[in-house]
Amino acid sequence: MKSKATLKELAKELGVSTSTVSKALSNSPEISELTKIKIKEFAQLKNYKPNSIAKNLKNQRSYTIGVILPNILNPFFAKVFSGIELYANEKGYNLITCTSNESLEKEKQMIEMLDNGAIDGFILALAEETQKENNFTHIYNVLRDGTPIVLFDRIAPELKCDKVIVDDFDSAVEATQYLIDTDCKKIALFSSINNLSVGKLRENGYKEALQKNNKKFDTTLALLTDSDEGFDEKMGTLILDKKPDAIFAVDEYASVAAMKFCLKNGFHVPNDISIIGFADGLWSRRMTPSLSTVSQHAPEIGQKTAELIIKRIEEIPDSESEKIFETVVIKTELRKRESVRKLS
């Protein structure tokens, strides 16, 4: 196996200083292009690999970001991660990725494990249990110690940090309004994420659209739960008993379950019942009929979170001025497909 050369060995063989070699390999403008090419080619020939640990210690950075996702199996979070990874890698940062599995305790453990100099900052979507218990002490501790955090999707307004969200409220208003405009009279609301901040926002958007059109919120047309456990049975009973002519489902599970139940039980979608979901995975386009959805542009969310965290990591500290944090709102898109009746 070919041994790895050191910086000093390269400098000695080339007859230049170690500083010149280091600057050339770092693309310093102080070194001529011809010298850079010569040194880089020689370094490659000698199998030289930079000591990233020493370099990072010198710069007081690990060039690593901790990413904590609530559920890696959720297509939305997987797409957000792809956006984070693409942007971070382009900027020379690595990722350490963990999943909280919707657990407050595991979220705490992951943060404690990584917040020891291993990472320069966190990207985080709060676990279901964290939001349910409204317990953010571990997040406050990290922020107090000066480690930057960017929250996305599931946030807590009281936490002073950068955030990236989608327009959950407005998009729910738009989706419900679209159903009203297509002459739907009895619009059911289905949610299996009613304990999450995004679920509440979408529920409120639905109610706002009804109010704007002088329609009362009918509690018997709403199925609001904290999980998918027992959801299918309750949903089926509501559809058969109340016979809604439209469904607005605020999460992926609820929209898929509603579509499957309606098709299995002889309802024609959209002639008998229109359905809009809140997600935009591959399945929504491939279902028959294709499912109308609110697309959250997950890769764009990921890219923006990575952009914000790297900006915070690389900013020059200013202890005299108070930090101003950003809340970036990513616009959603209502994708109109076959599961909703055409505008009359």
Side-chain angles (χ1 to χ4, degrees):
M1 182 180 292
K2 188 163 57 172
S3 61
K4 296 178 182 178
T6 66
L7 202 66
K8 287 183 178 180
E9 289 169 349
L10 291 180
K12 184 178 180 181
E13 292 195 48
L14 288 166
V16 297
S17 68
T18 55
S19 174
T20 298
V21 175
S22 178
K23 288 177 180 179
L25 295 175
S26 300
N27 285 317
S28 170
E30 298 177 38
I31 308 299
S32 70
E33 289 303 316
L34 189 62
T35 303
K36 286 180 190 177
I37 293 170
K38 178 183 174 182
I39 290 174
K40 287 179 180 179
E41 287 181 348
F42 188 72
Q44 187 174 7
L45 179 67
K46 291 294 184 177
N47 196 30
Y48 171 75
K49 302 290 183 185
N51 187 335
S52 59
I53 295 175
K55 180 181 177 183
N56 293 342
L57 286 173
K58 182 180 178 182
N59 294 331
Q60 294 186 316
R61 281 193 206 140
S62 67
Y63 289 91
T64 303
I65 300 166
V67 181
I68 303 179
L69 303 175
N71 181 357
I72 196 63
L73 298 178
N74 185 313
F76 169 72
F77 292 120
K79 287 183 178 181
V80 171
F81 178 76
S82 71
I84 295 170
E85 184 176 44
L86 182 63
Y87 186 87
N89 288 348
E90 285 177 356
K91 297 299 181 180
Y93 282 77
N94 299 309
L95 303 177
I96 296 178
T97 310
C98 307
T99 56
S100 64
N101 290 328
E102 307 291 8
S103 163
L104 168 60
E105 190 57 38
K106 190 167 183 185
E107 186 176 275
K108 288 180 179 179
Q109 290 172 1
M110 296 300 100
I111 287 178
E112 185 178 345
M113 177 186 72
L114 295 175
D115 192 31
N116 59 0
I119 54 98
D120 297 323
F122 286 101
I123 292 173
L124 175 69
L126 297 172
E128 178 182 325
E129 192 176 22
T130 303
Q131 287 203 312
K132 188 175 183 179
E133 297 190 16
N134 207 38
N135 186 337
F136 310 120
T137 304
H138 54 302
I139 310 291
Y140 283 121
N141 291 340
V142 173
L143 294 171
R144 182 196 61 209
D145 293 341
T147 303
I149 292 178
V150 176
L151 294 176
F152 74 93
D153 189 52
R154 304 181 191 173
I155 67 168
E158 58 264 48
L159 292 171
K160 292 185 178 181
C161 62
D162 296 310
K163 304 174 182 77
V164 181
I165 58 174
V166 298
D167 54 342
D168 288 288
F169 178 86
D170 291 339
S171 57
V173 172
E174 182 185 6
T176 308
Q177 185 64 53
Y178 179 54
L179 292 172
I180 293 170
D181 290 344
T182 56
D183 207 31
C184 296
K185 307 295 185 186
K186 295 176 65 176
I187 304 171
L189 173 68
F190 291 166
S191 172
S192 68
I193 57 168
N194 195 49
N195 55 324
L196 300 180
S197 56
V198 292
K200 294 289 188 184
L201 285 168
R202 296 167 195 175
E203 175 193 345
N204 290 337
Y206 162 88
K207 291 177 179 177
E208 175 70 12
L210 294 183
Q211 186 176 359
K212 285 171 64 176
N213 289 272
N214 298 313
K215 295 177 180 293
K216 290 185 177 180
F217 172 56
D218 184 349
T219 57
T220 66
L221 286 173
L223 175 57
L224 306 174
T225 66
D226 292 352
S227 71
D228 55 19
E229 187 176 346
F231 181 88
D232 291 25
E233 184 179 350
K234 295 173 184 176
M235 175 198 65
T237 301
L238 188 153
I239 292 173
L240 294 175
D241 287 353
K242 297 299 177 182
K243 296 181 173 54
D245 59 6
I247 295 169
F248 174 47
V250 308
D251 61 281
E252 185 173 29
Y253 181 86
S255 59
V256 174
M259 177 74 93
K260 284 184 175 180
F261 180 88
C262 290
L263 294 176
K264 186 178 179 180
N265 287 272
F267 290 89
H268 186 280
V269 179
N271 292 344
D272 298 328
I273 189 165
S274 292
I275 303 174
I276 292 181
F278 209 107
D280 198 31
L282 188 62
W283 52 265
S284 60
R285 299 188 296 275
R286 292 188 174 178
M287 293 182 81
T288 304
S290 56
L291 180 63
S292 297
T293 58
V294 176
S295 174
Q296 297 161 279
H297 299 301
E300 187 180 342
I301 294 171
Q303 179 179 329
K304 193 62 186 180
T305 59
E307 182 183 328
L308 287 175
I309 196 67
I310 290 172
K311 177 184 174 183
R312 286 296 177 194
I313 291 168
E314 297 185 349
E315 71 181 357
I316 299 172
D318 185 355
S319 58
E320 294 183 4
S321 60
E322 187 177 352
K323 288 183 179 179
I324 299 174
F325 296 104
E326 293 184 63
T327 296
V328 178
V329 180
I330 305 296
K331 297 297 290 183
T332 57
E333 179 185 354
L334 179 56
R335 294 189 171 168
K336 301 169 183 178
R337 300 194 179 98
E338 299 168 344
S339 65
V340 177
R341 293 196 297 268
K342 301 296 181 183
L343 289 166
S344 55

Coordinates of all heavy atoms in Angstrom, one line a residue, residues 76-132:
F76 N -41.5 13.2 3.4 CA -41.3 14.6 3.5 C -39.9 14.9 4.1 O -39.1 15.7 3.6 CB -42.4 15.3 4.3 CG -42.1 16.7 4.7 CD1 -42.1 17.7 3.8 CD2 -41.8 17.0 6.0 CE1 -41.8 19.0 4.1 CE2 -41.5 18.3 6.4 CZ -41.5 19.3 5.4
F77 N -39.7 14.2 5.2 CA -38.4 14.5 5.9 C -37.2 13.9 5.1 O -36.1 14.5 5.1 CB -38.4 13.9 7.3 CG -39.3 14.6 8.3 CD1 -40.4 13.9 8.9 CD2 -39.2 15.9 8.5 CE1 -41.3 14.5 9.7 CE2 -40.1 16.6 9.4 CZ -41.1 15.9 10.0
A78 N -37.4 12.9 4.4 CA -36.4 12.3 3.5 C -36.0 13.3 2.4 O -34.8 13.5 2.1 CB -36.8 11.0 2.9
K79 N -37.0 14.0 1.9 CA -36.8 15.0 0.8 C -36.1 16.2 1.4 O -35.3 16.8 0.7 CB -38.1 15.3 0.1 CG -38.6 14.2 -0.8 CD -39.9 14.7 -1.5 CE -40.4 13.6 -2.5 NZ -41.6 14.1 -3.2
V80 N -36.6 16.6 2.6 CA -35.9 17.8 3.2 C -34.4 17.5 3.4 O -33.5 18.3 3.1 CB -36.5 18.1 4.6 CG1 -35.7 19.2 5.3 CG2 -38.0 18.6 4.4
F81 N -34.1 16.3 3.9 CA -32.7 15.9 4.1 C -31.9 15.9 2.8 O -30.8 16.4 2.8 CB -32.7 14.5 4.7 CG -31.2 14.0 4.9 CD1 -30.5 14.5 6.0 CD2 -30.6 13.1 4.1 CE1 -29.2 14.1 6.2 CE2 -29.3 12.7 4.3 CZ -28.6 13.2 5.3
S82 N -32.5 15.5 1.7 CA -31.8 15.6 0.4 C -31.4 17.0 0.1 O -30.3 17.2 -0.4 CB -32.6 14.9 -0.7 OG -33.7 15.8 -1.0
G83 N -32.3 17.9 0.4 CA -31.9 19.4 0.1 C -30.9 19.9 1.1 O -30.0 20.6 0.6
I84 N -30.9 19.4 2.3 CA -29.9 19.8 3.3 C -28.5 19.3 2.8 O -27.5 20.0 2.8 CB -30.2 19.3 4.7 CG1 -31.4 19.9 5.3 CG2 -29.0 19.5 5.6 CD1 -32.0 19.2 6.5
E85 N -28.5 18.0 2.5 CA -27.2 17.3 2.1 C -26.6 18.0 0.9 O -25.4 18.2 0.9 CB -27.5 15.9 1.9 CG -26.2 15.0 1.6 CD -26.5 13.6 1.5 OE1 -27.5 13.2 0.8 OE2 -25.8 12.8 2.0
L86 N -27.4 18.2 -0.1 CA -26.9 18.8 -1.4 C -26.2 20.1 -1.1 O -25.1 20.4 -1.6 CB -28.0 19.0 -2.4 CG -27.6 19.5 -3.7 CD1 -26.7 18.5 -4.4 CD2 -28.9 19.7 -4.6
Y87 N -26.9 21.0 -0.4 CA -26.3 22.4 -0.2 C -25.1 22.3 0.8 O -24.1 23.0 0.5 CB -27.4 23.3 0.4 CG -26.9 24.7 0.6 CD1 -27.1 25.6 -0.5 CD2 -26.3 25.2 1.7 CE1 -26.6 26.9 -0.4 CE2 -25.9 26.5 1.8 CZ -26.0 27.4 0.8 OH -25.6 28.7 0.9
A88 N -25.2 21.5 1.9 CA -24.1 21.5 2.8 C -22.9 20.9 2.2 O -21.8 21.4 2.4 CB -24.5 20.6 4.0
N89 N -23.0 19.9 1.4 CA -21.8 19.3 0.7 C -21.2 20.2 -0.3 O -20.0 20.3 -0.4 CB -22.2 18.0 0.0 CG -22.5 16.8 1.0 OD1 -22.2 16.9 2.2 ND2 -23.1 15.8 0.5
E90 N -22.0 21.0 -0.9 CA -21.5 22.0 -1.9 C -20.6 23.1 -1.1 O -19.7 23.6 -1.7 CB -22.6 22.7 -2.6 CG -23.3 21.9 -3.7 CD -24.4 22.7 -4.3 OE1 -24.8 23.8 -3.9 OE2 -25.0 22.1 -5.3
K91 N -21.0 23.3 0.1 CA -20.2 24.3 0.9 C -19.1 23.7 1.8 O -18.5 24.4 2.6 CB -21.2 25.1 1.8 CG -22.3 25.9 1.1 CD -21.6 26.9 0.2 CE -22.7 27.7 -0.6 NZ -22.1 28.8 -1.4
G92 N -18.9 22.4 1.6 CA -17.8 21.8 2.3 C -18.1 21.3 3.7 O -17.2 21.0 4.5
Y93 N -19.4 21.1 4.0 CA -19.8 20.6 5.3 C -20.3 19.1 5.2 O -20.9 18.7 4.2 CB -20.9 21.5 5.9 CG -20.4 22.8 6.4 CD1 -20.1 23.8 5.6 CD2 -20.3 23.0 7.8 CE1 -19.7 25.1 6.1 CE2 -19.9 24.2 8.3 CZ -19.5 25.2 7.4 OH -19.1 26.4 7.9
N94 N -20.0 18.4 6.3 CA -20.5 17.1 6.4 C -21.7 17.1 7.4 O -21.9 18.0 8.1 CB -19.4 16.1 7.0 CG -18.2 16.1 6.1 OD1 -18.3 15.8 4.9 ND2 -17.0 16.3 6.7
L95 N -22.4 16.0 7.3 CA -23.6 15.8 8.2 C -23.5 14.6 9.1 O -23.0 13.6 8.6 CB -24.9 15.7 7.3 CG -25.2 16.8 6.3 CD1 -26.4 16.5 5.5 CD2 -25.3 18.2 7.0
I96 N -24.0 14.8 10.3 CA -24.2 13.6 11.2 C -25.7 13.6 11.4 O -26.3 14.6 11.9 CB -23.5 13.7 12.5 CG1 -22.0 13.7 12.3 CG2 -23.9 12.6 13.5 CD1 -21.2 13.9 13.6
T97 N -26.4 12.6 11.0 CA -27.8 12.5 11.0 C -28.4 11.5 12.0 O -27.9 10.4 12.0 CB -28.4 12.1 9.6 OG1 -27.7 13.0 8.6 CG2 -29.9 12.3 9.5
C98 N -29.3 11.9 12.8 CA -30.0 11.1 13.8 C -31.5 11.2 13.6 O -32.0 12.2 13.1 CB -29.6 11.5 15.2 SG -27.8 11.6 15.5
T99 N -32.2 10.2 14.2 CA -33.6 10.3 14.2 C -34.1 10.2 15.7 O -33.6 9.4 16.5 CB -34.3 9.1 13.4 OG1 -33.8 7.9 13.9 CG2 -33.9 9.2 12.0
S100 N -35.1 11.1 16.0 CA -35.6 11.1 17.3 C -36.7 10.0 17.5 O -37.1 9.7 18.6 CB -36.1 12.4 17.7 OG -37.2 12.8 16.9
N101 N -37.2 9.5 16.4 CA -38.4 8.6 16.4 C -39.5 9.2 17.2 O -40.2 8.4 18.0 CB -38.0 7.2 17.0 CG -37.1 6.5 16.0 OD1 -37.2 6.6 14.8 ND2 -36.1 5.7 16.5
E102 N -39.7 10.5 17.1 CA -40.8 11.2 17.8 C -40.7 11.2 19.3 O -41.7 11.5 20.0 CB -42.2 10.7 17.3 CG -42.4 10.6 15.8 CD -42.5 12.0 15.1 OE1 -42.3 13.0 15.8 OE2 -42.9 12.0 14.0
S103 N -39.5 10.9 19.8 CA -39.4 10.8 21.3 C -38.6 12.0 21.8 O -37.5 12.4 21.3 CB -38.6 9.5 21.6 OG -38.0 9.6 22.9
L104 N -39.1 12.6 22.9 CA -38.5 13.7 23.5 C -37.2 13.3 24.1 O -36.1 13.9 24.0 CB -39.4 14.3 24.6 CG -38.8 15.3 25.6 CD1 -38.2 16.5 24.9 CD2 -39.8 15.7 26.7
E105 N -37.2 12.2 24.8 CA -36.0 11.6 25.5 C -34.9 11.4 24.5 O -33.7 11.7 24.7 CB -36.3 10.4 26.3 CG -35.2 9.9 27.2 CD -34.8 11.0 28.2 OE1 -35.6 11.8 28.7 OE2 -33.6 11.1 28.5
K106 N -35.2 10.7 23.4 CA -34.2 10.4 22.4 C -33.7 11.7 21.7 O -32.5 11.8 21.4 CB -34.7 9.5 21.3 CG -33.6 9.0 20.4 CD -34.1 7.8 19.6 CE -32.9 7.3 18.8 NZ -33.3 6.2 17.8
E107 N -34.5 12.7 21.5 CA -34.1 14.0 21.0 C -33.1 14.6 21.9 O -32.1 15.1 21.5 CB -35.3 14.9 20.8 CG -35.0 16.2 20.1 CD -36.3 17.0 19.9 OE1 -37.0 16.8 18.9 OE2 -36.7 17.8 20.8
K108 N -33.4 14.6 23.2 CA -32.4 15.1 24.2 C -31.1 14.4 24.1 O -30.0 15.0 24.2 CB -33.0 14.9 25.6 CG -34.1 15.9 26.0 CD -34.6 15.6 27.4 CE -35.7 16.5 27.8 NZ -36.2 16.3 29.2
Q109 N -31.1 13.0 24.0 CA -29.9 12.2 24.0 C -29.1 12.5 22.8 O -27.9 12.7 22.9 CB -30.3 10.7 24.0 CG -30.8 10.2 25.3 CD -31.4 8.8 25.2 OE1 -31.3 8.2 24.2 NE2 -31.9 8.3 26.3
M110 N -29.7 12.7 21.6 CA -29.0 13.0 20.4 C -28.3 14.4 20.5 O -27.2 14.5 20.1 CB -30.0 13.0 19.2 CG -30.6 11.6 18.9 SD -29.4 10.3 18.5 CE -29.3 9.4 20.1
I111 N -29.0 15.3 21.0 CA -28.5 16.7 21.1 C -27.3 16.7 22.1 O -26.2 17.3 21.8 CB -29.5 17.7 21.6 CG1 -30.5 18.0 20.4 CG2 -28.9 19.0 22.1 CD1 -31.6 18.9 20.7
E112 N -27.4 16.0 23.2 CA -26.4 15.9 24.2 C -25.1 15.2 23.7 O -24.0 15.6 23.9 CB -26.9 15.2 25.5 CG -25.9 15.2 26.6 CD -26.4 14.5 27.9 OE1 -27.6 14.3 27.9 OE2 -25.6 14.2 28.7
M113 N -25.4 14.2 22.9 CA -24.3 13.4 22.3 C -23.5 14.3 21.3 O -22.2 14.2 21.3 CB -24.8 12.2 21.6 CG -23.7 11.3 20.9 SD -24.4 10.0 19.9 CE -25.2 10.9 18.5
L114 N -24.1 15.1 20.5 CA -23.5 15.8 19.5 C -23.0 17.2 19.9 O -22.0 17.7 19.3 CB -24.4 16.0 18.3 CG -24.9 14.8 17.6 CD1 -25.9 15.1 16.5 CD2 -23.7 14.0 16.9
D115 N -23.6 17.7 21.0 CA -23.2 19.1 21.4 C -22.0 19.1 22.3 O -22.0 19.5 23.5 CB -24.4 19.8 22.1 CG -24.1 21.2 22.3 OD1 -23.5 21.8 21.5 OD2 -24.7 21.8 23.3
N116 N -20.9 18.5 21.8 CA -19.7 18.4 22.6 C -18.5 18.8 21.8 O -17.3 18.4 22.0 CB -19.5 17.0 23.1 CG -19.4 16.0 22.0 OD1 -19.5 16.3 20.8 ND2 -19.2 14.7 22.3
G117 N -18.7 19.6 20.8 CA -17.6 20.0 19.9 C -17.6 19.2 18.6 O -16.9 19.5 17.7
A118 N -18.5 18.2 18.5 CA -18.5 17.3 17.3 C -19.1 18.0 16.1 O -18.8 17.7 15.0 CB -19.2 16.0 17.6
I119 N -20.0 19.0 16.4 CA -20.7 19.7 15.3 C -20.7 21.2 15.6 O -20.4 21.6 16.7 CB -22.2 19.2 15.2 CG1 -22.9 19.3 16.6 CG2 -22.2 17.7 14.7 CD1 -23.7 20.5 16.7
D120 N -20.9 21.9 14.5 CA -20.9 23.4 14.6 C -22.3 24.0 14.7 O -22.4 25.1 15.1 CB -20.3 24.0 13.3 CG -18.8 23.6 13.1 OD1 -18.1 23.5 14.1 OD2 -18.4 23.3 12.0
G121 N -23.3 23.2 14.5 CA -24.7 23.7 14.6 C -25.7 22.5 14.3 O -25.3 21.5 13.8
F122 N -26.9 22.8 14.7 CA -28.0 21.8 14.5 C -29.1 22.3 13.5 O -29.4 23.4 13.5 CB -28.7 21.6 15.8 CG -27.9 20.7 16.8 CD1 -27.3 21.4 17.9 CD2 -27.9 19.4 16.7 CE1 -26.6 20.6 18.8 CE2 -27.2 18.6 17.7 CZ -26.5 19.2 18.7
I123 N -29.6 21.3 12.8 CA -30.8 21.5 12.0 C -31.8 20.5 12.6 O -31.5 19.3 12.8 CB -30.6 21.2 10.5 CG1 -29.8 22.3 9.9 CG2 -32.0 21.1 9.8 CD1 -29.4 22.0 8.4
L124 N -33.0 20.9 12.9 CA -33.9 20.1 13.8 C -35.3 20.3 13.4 O -35.8 21.5 13.3 CB -33.6 20.4 15.2 CG -34.4 19.8 16.3 CD1 -34.2 18.3 16.4 CD2 -34.1 20.5 17.7
A125 N -36.1 19.3 13.3 CA -37.6 19.3 13.4 C -38.0 18.7 14.7 O -37.6 17.5 14.9 CB -38.2 18.6 12.2
L126 N -38.8 19.4 15.5 CA -39.1 18.9 16.8 C -39.9 17.5 16.8 O -40.7 17.4 15.9 CB -39.9 19.9 17.6 CG -39.2 21.2 17.8 CD1 -40.1 22.3 18.4 CD2 -38.0 21.0 18.8
A127 N -39.6 16.7 17.7 CA -40.3 15.4 17.8 C -41.7 15.7 18.3 O -42.0 16.7 18.9 CB -39.6 14.5 18.8
E128 N -42.6 14.7 17.9 CA -44.0 14.8 18.3 C -44.1 15.0 19.8 O -44.9 15.8 20.3 CB -44.7 13.5 17.8 CG -46.2 13.5 18.2 CD -46.8 12.1 17.7 OE1 -46.4 11.6 16.6 OE2 -47.7 11.6 18.4
E129 N -43.4 14.2 20.6 CA -43.5 14.2 22.0 C -43.0 15.5 22.6 O -43.5 16.0 23.6 CB -42.7 13.0 22.6 CG -43.0 12.8 24.1 CD -42.3 11.6 24.6 OE1 -41.3 11.1 24.0 OE2 -42.7 11.0 25.7
T130 N -42.0 16.1 22.0 CA -41.5 17.4 22.4 C -42.5 18.5 22.3 O -42.7 19.3 23.2 CB -40.2 17.8 21.5 OG1 -39.3 16.7 21.6 CG2 -39.6 19.1 22.0
Q131 N -43.2 18.5 21.1 CA -44.3 19.5 21.0 C -45.5 19.2 21.9 O -46.1 20.1 22.4 CB -44.7 19.5 19.5 CG -43.7 20.1 18.6 CD -44.4 20.6 17.3 OE1 -45.1 19.9 16.6 NE2 -44.1 21.8 16.9
K132 N -45.8 17.9 22.1 CA -46.9 17.6 22.9 C -46.7 18.0 24.3 O -47.7 18.5 25.0 CB -47.2 16.0 22.8 CG -48.4 15.6 23.5 CD -48.6 14.1 23.2 CE -50.0 13.6 23.8 NZ -50.1 12.1 23.6

